[in-house]
Amino acid sequence: MNTESTIPCQFIEPLAISAPFISSAEICQLSQDFHEWQREIFPDEDITTIVNARAEFVDNILTKLWSQHELDEYQISLVAVGGYGRAELHPYSDVDILLLTQEKTDKALEDKISTFITQLWDVKLDIGHSVRSVKECLKQAVNDVTIATNLMEMRQVCGNTALTEQLQPLLNQDVFWTSKKFFIAKRDEQYNRHQQYHGASYTLEPNLKANPGGLRDIQTIGWVAKRHFVADSLEELVEHEYLTSNEYFELVECQDYLWRMRCALHFVAGRSENRLLFDHQASVAELLGFGDGGKLAVERMMKRFFRIIGRVAELNKMLLQHFEYAIINDKKYKKVTTINDDFIIVDGQIKVTNKRIFTRSIKIMEMFLLIAEHDEITDLHPNTLRLMRNARRRLVSGMMDYAGCRKTFIQLMRHPKGLGLAFTLMHRHSILAAYLPEWRNIVGQMQFDLFHAYSVDEHSYRLIKNLYRFSQLEHNKEFPLCSKIVQRVRKPELLYIAGIFHDIAKGRGGDHAKLGAVDALAFAKLHQLSDHDGRLISWLVKHHLLMSVTAQRRDISDPNVIKEFADIIRDETHLDYLYCLTVADMRATNESLWNNWKSNLLEELYYNTKRAFLRGLEKPVDLRAKIRENQQLATERLLTQNVTEEQTVKAWKEFKADYFLRYAPAQIAWHTKHIIQHDRKKPLVIINSTPYRGGTEVFVYTKEQPNIFYNIVSLLGAKQLSIHDAKIITSNKGYTANTFVILDHQGKPIDDINRTRAIEEALTNVLSESQCLIKPAPLAKRFKQFNIPTQVNFIETKTKNTTMLEIVVLDTPGLLANIADVFQQFEVQIHSAKITTFGEKAEDVFTLSNKYKQALTLEEQEALTLMLCEKTSTPNSP
């Protein structure tokens, strides 16, 4: 604590020991005034002053109440521990204290302690407390590294000093925790904490304290070194040559920024909060001075944050490795393997033999190629990492400017192990950013939505690692088709380079796919790739979203859709590369959103397109032959299920030709059997027990009436089921056949037979009523900060009697029901629906016709657009 107070007298004088008695209510008011003062000075004041000031203010409260409860008359000490012990308290941080007592305490003291703690809660301090003797402290701490760590940061606040002076020297003895044992415990603790975040720093709603590269990682550096050197601050570690002065100032700079973010987050949230949720990001960005530009301000703030935690993570790794290797590791003999004159391997870590080796950038690139070539290398030696960091920071020109670096980079891309550990280390230690200027621009680039789980560079890195995983034989069972393709293509490096560039133009404005394609082509030329290879990479970048969009938003059972898609793809080579890139991209976007439905859609689109190539694009599908084939195969299935051909023919007379094109033979047979057996006085609702494209298929056959689609989607939505696909076909006898593919809230098909029966019963009941009374749930809080104005677009198609409508809108509860209600009011007939959700945004595509069974006129399109925008708008929309 600073001896000179920075707190105004108005907050100090009422808490002086000599001041009059102060009540809980008065302390609460004083605390509120102090909080408002801190909020007022926050934009201009040094952050260290702010966190120290609150610790000092709390010291004064505790000391005053300690005196008022007459605890000074007893052999007891009030000790600050943890962050409070370091005199680092954010606006709503917990206040952790230790009441240090003698071995035995009488009832009078116990009663006074109880009333003292009660009043601390009364004055709104979030207290974490323990009451222990010196002996109990040691006993508890020896078996619990968290308690040991808290005690290492103890600080006397008030009370009897003798007990604290008795405990303090005991904490520095090896019988308490040896530095080696303590290091191992804190290292393992950090590893387990990082695993909770999948080892990724760049999640978009990060925990400022616990995230890899967050405040806890800075504290871990200090704790480990403090235990070994008995140092009271990070600055003292420079004297012990554990830190260089530059590294110390870098850590302080990073800590100050993270402290400022955490302090602002506390002010915005109004409570102790470490997770930077989307709800708070815009307000925190404004408080930190990034402007009130909403999304842009958040992106600027988060870009700096991600770069800061990247620096912390790297320093943390280097310093803990240095500590382990140079101080803790007591092995007398180390396994050393010489690679060449410049590099050796020491216990699995690559180490330089010359401190000046990295003055030539080519040597950095060569080192990563050596890592790919030597399986026994597991990491960079801490000395190597320190030298490489210094060399990276001193670069006066881009590494890509040097022909030798370019040659080595391509060698790395082509090496069978190049995208393994070598590429991971290049990304984690910012060598990829130092090599590629375009990559440097996307480091920490925020994607302000609920769809992308990572920053742009982290997402791209994960995509490339997915592609590399496809090349490894041991992972063949995960994605067999992708593995088969990647392992047979002649140049997988073209896929990897396309992965690097696919999102590289994000954040620049404009179409990132087109801009990235230009960058990719320039890269290929500079690296002397053939014109063919350069064009293929550029094409992949330009069209990297094509397959995903087509599979999820178009009817891929429609031959015309496949023809359009195949015309863009051109040949099987482009199809192979694009399929693998698409799977890797979708999986790297957000693991929780990848499911069998999406996997099966992509695979079906791949095979449908491949068949189109084999048939020849100039030879369209013979639709009549396709209908006859589907009917024949369905009839054969029905005959095995005791359904006669006569019954089948009679049932099929109700359906138009397009029914037999839009459904597979197995589906046609399933529908037909149940329609024949069903009592038509009530709706037919059946759910297939066999998953369809990774989802659950719901079939509804009932008399045409108003609100059918509305009622179905309302009920399914109310039951927390997501609809991904819908087909609606009207029969010749006034019946309608509706098929929906649904998934549960975890993105999985429904496999509980009791649940499927309950859904069938509920749908039957609601379709028997004239209207649905289900009300949607309110908008979730985390969606409220997203401003997505409704966009309605009409897509050109080759069919004359239908219109394709695309709507992009905030995914609110009851959205699909609202859209269906608009269609019902306009007497619009729905033929199909493709429902796609990207985080907070829904992008749905409907095939429609008007009440005259014709395509919508321009006037109808305009009126429908106005009503959809009005019906689906949210309070946040302009």
Side-chain angles (χ1 to χ4, degrees):
M1 294 288 294
N2 295 328
T3 55
E4 295 185 9
S5 176
T6 59
I7 302 176
C9 294
Q10 69 202 64
F11 301 117
I12 298 295
E13 290 175 355
L15 297 173
I17 300 296
S18 58
F21 178 89
I22 187 168
S23 68
S24 294
E26 290 172 318
I27 292 176
C28 287
Q29 183 60 53
L30 193 65
S31 297
Q32 184 177 336
D33 294 342
F34 178 82
H35 179 81
E36 291 173 359
W37 169 75
Q38 282 208 303
R39 175 75 182 254
E40 183 181 333
I41 68 170
F42 174 76
D44 302 314
E45 187 58 82
D46 178 71
I47 189 61
T48 304
T49 300
I50 288 176
V51 297
N52 289 163
R54 181 165 183 252
E56 182 186 348
F57 179 66
V58 172
D59 282 355
N60 282 281
I61 292 175
L62 295 182
T63 303
K64 179 66 174 176
L65 294 179
W66 187 268
S67 175
Q68 289 186 174
H69 284 272
E70 300 177 341
L71 284 164
D72 276 326
E73 300 176 9
Y74 295 86
Q75 294 295 309
I76 182 172
S77 178
L78 176 58
V79 178
V81 294
Y84 180 38
R86 298 191 302 272
E88 299 167 1
L89 278 185
H90 289 264
Y92 291 97
S93 290
D94 298 346
V95 178
D96 293 325
I97 58 174
L98 165 66
L99 297 175
L100 196 57
T101 68
Q102 293 182 314
E103 290 299 314
K104 294 182 179 180
T105 57
D106 58 27
K107 188 175 186 307
L109 176 57
E110 289 173 356
D111 290 342
K112 282 190 175 292
I113 290 173
S114 178
T115 55
F116 173 70
I117 295 297
T118 299
Q119 189 170 10
L120 295 186
W121 284 105
D122 289 342
V123 299
K124 309 302 182 186
L125 287 177
D126 196 354
I127 289 290
H129 76 283
S130 58
V131 182
R132 296 190 183 108
S133 66
V134 171
K135 184 177 180 180
E136 287 171 332
C137 284
L138 293 173
K139 182 179 179 181
Q140 294 283 336
V142 165
N143 297 314
D144 190 323
V145 71
T146 301
I147 295 175
T149 305
N150 280 340
L151 288 176
M152 282 170 51
E153 298 176 313
M154 60 183 284
R155 176 177 60 84
Q156 176 90 23
V157 176
C158 58
N160 186 285
T161 59
L163 291 169
T164 310
E165 291 170 354
Q166 180 186 347
L167 176 61
Q168 186 70 63
L170 297 175
L171 301 179
N172 296 327
Q173 296 179 7
D174 280 351
V175 292
F176 175 62
W177 277 81
T178 66
S179 59
K180 181 175 182 178
K181 180 183 176 184
F182 185 77
F183 167 79
I184 293 171
K186 299 308 287 186
R187 181 195 63 190
D188 293 347
E189 181 183 76
Q190 175 174 288
Y191 173 80
N192 292 332
R193 172 168 51 82
H194 285 187
Q195 290 304 108
Q196 295 175 14
Y197 297 89
H198 307 290
S201 304
Y202 300 99
T203 51
L204 299 187
E205 291 184 307
N207 186 309
L208 302 182
K209 190 174 181 180
N211 231 72
L215 285 165
R216 188 65 85 204
D217 281 9
I218 298 177
Q219 292 163 357
T220 299
I221 295 169
W223 288 329
V224 165
K226 184 176 182 178
R227 180 72 196 99
H228 187 77
F229 296 117
V230 196
D232 290 326
S233 68
L234 285 173
E235 191 172 8
E236 289 182 42
L237 303 181
V238 178
E239 300 172 14
H240 292 284
E241 298 183 348
Y242 177 61
L243 282 173
T244 66
S245 58
N246 286 339
E247 290 162 357
Y248 163 70
F249 287 119
E250 185 176 358
L251 272 177
V252 170
E253 178 190 344
C254 293
Q255 178 177 262
D256 281 358
Y257 183 73
L258 294 175
W259 270 2
R260 187 162 283 278
M261 284 191 80
R262 189 181 181 211
C263 193
L265 178 58
H266 279 210
F267 283 134
V268 168
R271 64 179 186 276
S272 179
E273 177 63 83
N274 292 313
R275 191 175 176 198
L276 190 57
L277 300 172
F278 283 124
D279 306 25
H280 306 313
Q281 288 178 3
S283 299
V284 170
E286 184 176 0
L287 192 54
L288 290 174
F290 287 97
D292 57 358
K295 182 178 179 180
L296 289 177
V298 169
E299 288 182 354
R300 286 192 289 267
M301 174 185 72
M302 296 303 292
K303 192 164 193 174
R304 185 173 182 194
F305 166 74
F306 287 134
R307 293 185 174 190
I308 288 286
I309 62 174
R311 291 161 65 187
V312 172
E314 185 176 63
L315 280 167
N316 173 276
K317 173 185 174 180
M318 181 190 76
L319 294 172
L320 292 188
Q321 280 186 342
H322 174 71
F323 190 86
E324 179 176 17
Y325 210 93
I327 302 171
I328 298 297
N329 195 337
D330 55 5
K331 288 171 61 177
K332 294 182 179 179
Y333 301 102
K334 299 177 176 63
K335 183 180 179 182
V336 179
T337 304
T338 299
I339 300 177
N340 56 32
D341 292 341
D342 299 321
F343 298 97
I344 59 175
I345 304 173
V346 180
D347 287 343
Q349 297 178 333
I350 189 166
K351 184 179 181 182
V352 298
T353 60
N354 179 351
K355 290 184 178 181
R356 293 178 52 81
I357 192 69
F358 292 140
T359 55
R360 295 178 59 208
S361 298
I362 181 64
K363 292 299 178 181
I364 297 178
M365 297 303 297
E366 287 179 357
M367 178 181 71
F368 287 103
L369 187 58
L370 290 173
I371 292 172
E373 292 172 346
H374 291 80
D375 290 339
E376 64 270 33
I377 296 176
T378 58
D379 208 341
L380 304 179
H381 190 279
N383 290 349
T384 304
L385 179 53
R386 177 170 270 160
L387 292 170
M388 187 185 73
R389 288 184 83 252
N390 294 337
R392 185 190 69 211
R393 296 162 79 89
R394 289 195 304 264
L395 285 173
V396 293
S397 62
M399 294 175 69
M400 198 166 64
D401 293 344
Y402 300 99
C405 288
R406 295 196 296 269
K407 180 181 178 181
T408 308
F409 185 83
I410 294 300
Q411 285 179 297
L412 190 66
M413 291 292 103
R414 289 172 174 163
H415 194 282
K417 300 289 181 66
L419 278 295
L421 176 64
F423 187 77
T424 296
L425 293 174
M426 284 184 72
H427 172 57
R428 293 286 178 242
H429 298 300
S430 301
I431 297 304
L432 190 58
Y435 182 76
L436 270 176
E438 298 88 352
W439 186 277
R440 190 181 313 137
N441 294 333
I442 62 168
V443 171
Q445 178 66 44
M446 172 80 169
Q447 304 192 77
F448 190 71
D449 57 45
L450 297 178
F451 179 59
H452 295 89
Y454 307 102
S455 60
V456 178
D457 62 312
E458 183 68 14
H459 159 70
S460 298
Y461 162 75
R462 287 168 178 263
L463 180 156
I464 296 158
K465 296 300 286 188
N466 284 339
L467 291 172
Y468 175 68
R469 197 174 178 88
F470 298 154
S471 74
Q472 304 300 296
L473 296 177
E474 61 268 30
H475 301 301
N476 280 1
K477 291 183 179 179
E478 294 177 354
F479 293 89
L481 180 55
C482 289
S483 294
K484 182 180 178 181
I485 292 170
V486 172
Q487 290 167 28
R488 76 163 184 248
V489 296
R490 287 194 311 113
K491 296 181 178 181
E493 69 271 14
L494 304 185
L495 257 181
Y496 304 145
I497 296 171
I500 289 173
F501 281 90
H502 86 289
D503 274 354
I504 211 158
K506 278 194 170 178
R508 295 188 207 168
D511 188 330
H512 77 278
K514 290 181 179 178
L515 294 173
V518 173
D519 290 347
L521 192 59
F523 173 91
K525 289 180 178 178
L526 182 62
H527 288 74
Q528 298 183 333
L529 300 182
S530 70
D531 289 344
H532 174 271
D533 290 350
R535 287 194 299 271
L536 176 54
I537 295 169
S538 180
W539 183 92
L540 286 168
V541 174
K542 182 179 179 180
H543 295 286
H544 73 271
L545 296 173
L546 175 65
M547 197 165 195
S548 170
V549 169
T550 303
Q552 295 183 85
R553 295 165 62 186
R554 302 294 299 273
D555 183 359
I556 57 175
S557 63
D558 184 344
N560 290 325
V561 171
I562 299 302
K563 175 71 165 55
E564 290 176 22
F565 179 72
D567 283 340
I568 300 173
I569 300 297
R570 298 199 297 257
D571 58 44
E572 285 192 45
T573 298
H574 286 75
L575 178 63
D576 283 345
Y577 278 99
L578 184 61
Y579 171 73
C580 293
L581 183 64
T582 303
V583 173
D585 187 13
M586 292 175 71
R587 289 187 63 234
T589 300
N590 189 330
E591 290 93 336
S592 65
L593 299 180
W594 175 260
N595 52 40
N596 286 338
W597 165 254
K598 294 176 181 178
S599 176
N600 287 327
L601 280 178
L602 290 175
E603 195 166 320
E604 185 173 336
L605 177 56
Y606 173 86
Y607 282 118
N608 285 350
T609 308
K610 195 169 184 178
R611 280 192 288 271
F613 287 139
L614 291 173
R615 185 177 60 249
L617 297 183
E618 70 285 352
K619 298 178 182 177
V621 176
D622 185 335
L623 299 183
R624 291 183 179 180
K626 185 65 176 175
I627 290 171
R628 287 194 297 271
E629 180 186 359
N630 285 351
Q631 289 178 332
Q632 178 62 36
L633 293 173
T635 300
E636 292 173 3
R637 280 177 172 266
L638 288 165
L639 288 172
T640 65
Q641 299 172 28
N642 298 321
V643 177
T644 67
E645 191 168 346
E646 183 181 351
Q647 290 174 307
T648 300
V649 171
K650 181 180 178 182
W652 285 354
K653 284 181 179 179
E654 294 187 27
F655 293 104
K656 300 170 187 175
D658 65 335
Y659 170 80
F660 300 99
L661 282 173
R662 296 176 66 186
Y663 289 101
Q667 293 172 301
I668 295 169
W670 180 55
H671 298 165
T672 304
K673 178 182 178 182
H674 286 279
I675 289 171
I676 290 170
Q677 297 172 348
H678 183 64
D679 177 4
R680 298 201 177 197
K681 292 179 182 178
K682 60 181 181 178
L684 168 65
V685 180
I686 49 174
I687 297 178
N688 202 333
S689 59
T690 303
Y692 171 68
R693 290 177 175 168
T696 296
E697 188 177 10
V698 179
F699 179 69
V700 176
Y701 186 74
T702 186
K703 274 202 168 213
E704 279 195 86
Q705 60 183 6
N707 300 318
I708 291 177
F709 187 79
Y710 174 85
N711 286 341
I712 294 172
V713 300
S714 295
L715 186 136
L716 294 175
K719 291 188 173 294
Q720 304 297 306
L721 299 167
S722 58
I723 301 169
H724 289 260
D725 189 86
K727 294 177 183 176
I728 296 92
I729 290 179
T730 304
S731 78
N732 295 320
K733 293 190 176 182
Y735 279 77
T736 179
N738 298 258
T739 305
F740 298 85
V741 177
I742 60 174
L743 297 172
D744 65 15
H745 68 284
Q746 295 180 322
K748 296 179 180 179
I750 301 165
D751 55 7
D752 183 343
I753 190 169
N754 293 322
R755 191 178 184 195
T756 59
R757 286 174 178 169
I759 295 168
E760 288 175 346
E761 183 178 347
L763 280 172
T764 301
N765 291 336
V766 80
L767 290 171
S768 299
E769 303 293 332
S770 59
Q771 61 179 358
C772 180
L773 302 177
I774 297 168
K775 294 182 179 179
L779 183 64
K781 184 179 179 182
R782 70 192 315 231
F783 283 75
K784 291 182 179 179
Q785 72 278 10
F786 293 104
N787 185 357
I788 302 176
T790 300
Q791 301 173 45
V792 178
N793 305 305
F794 291 91
I795 304 169
E796 289 188 17
T797 65
K798 293 183 178 181
T799 55
K800 296 179 180 180
N801 298 327
T802 60
T803 299
M804 187 172 291
L805 178 148
E806 174 193 57
I807 182 168
V808 180
V809 63
L810 185 68
D811 184 30
T812 56
L815 171 64
L816 204 51
N818 288 336
I819 294 172
D821 186 38
V822 173
F823 290 160
Q824 182 67 39
Q825 291 181 46
F826 274 80
E827 298 183 75
V828 168
Q829 184 174 346
I830 306 168
H831 299 279
S832 68
K834 299 286 283 188
I835 314 301
T836 310
T837 304
F838 300 101
E840 76 288 350
K841 183 168 62 175
E843 297 186 10
D844 301 341
V845 178
F846 299 89
T847 304
L848 311 169
S849 62
N850 61 22
K851 61 182 178 180
Y852 304 111
K853 300 183 180 179
Q854 297 297 315
L856 303 185
T857 65
L858 289 176
E859 291 79 7
E860 288 171 332
Q861 291 180 16
E862 291 174 3
L864 189 59
T865 298
L866 287 173
M867 180 64 78
L868 283 170
C869 289
E870 179 183 338
K871 191 78 172 180
T872 61
S873 63
T874 63
N876 293 342
S877 298

